[in-house]
């Protein structure tokens, strides 16, 4: 089943505001989904949305996909 392949979903969101204008609001939303394709092969999908007026007044959006070989040794 497809839901058994989703290993982990990590959501990390932060919001800070000490005013109601564009200079006093700061936030970051991050989602990462890890999908097991085969026994040692995983797919990671990472999406981030951020706004930091000290760096730039434009909203920053990033999407990444990573396919990797992962071996976990459990004792």
């Amino acid at each position: 089943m497809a839901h058994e392949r989703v290993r982990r979903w990590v959501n990390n969101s932060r919001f800070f505001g000490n005013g109601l204008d564009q200079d006093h609001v700061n936030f970051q939303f991050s989602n990462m989904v890890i999908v097991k394709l085969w026994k040692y092969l995983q797919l990671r999908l990472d999406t981030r949305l951020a706004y930091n007026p000290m760096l730039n007044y434009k909203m920053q959006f990033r999407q990444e996909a990573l396919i990797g070989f992962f071996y976990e040794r459990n004792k």
Side-chain angles (χ1 to χ4, degrees), residues 26-30 47-63:
N26 185 332
F27 65 84
Q28 179 177 345
F29 302 109
S30 175
T47 303
R48 296 175 190 235
L49 180 66
Y51 177 75
N52 187 347
M54 294 185 75
L55 300 175
N56 193 345
Y57 282 113
K58 294 182 181 180
M59 195 135 358
Q60 300 172 13
F61 179 72
R62 183 174 83 193
Q63 279 190 316

Side-chain angles (χ1 to χ4, degrees), residues 1-2 6 8-10 12 17 19 27 30 34 37 41-43 45-46 48 50-51 57-58 61 63-64 67-68 75:
M1 291 185 167
V6 175
R8 195 177 315 153
W9 174 38
V10 180
N12 184 9
F27 65 84
S30 175
I34 301 172
L37 299 175
L41 193 64
Q42 290 182 354
L43 172 66
L45 304 169
D46 190 5
R48 296 175 190 235
Y51 177 75
Y57 282 113
K58 294 182 181 180
F61 179 72
Q63 279 190 316
E64 295 179 352
I67 294 179
K75 288 188 174 190

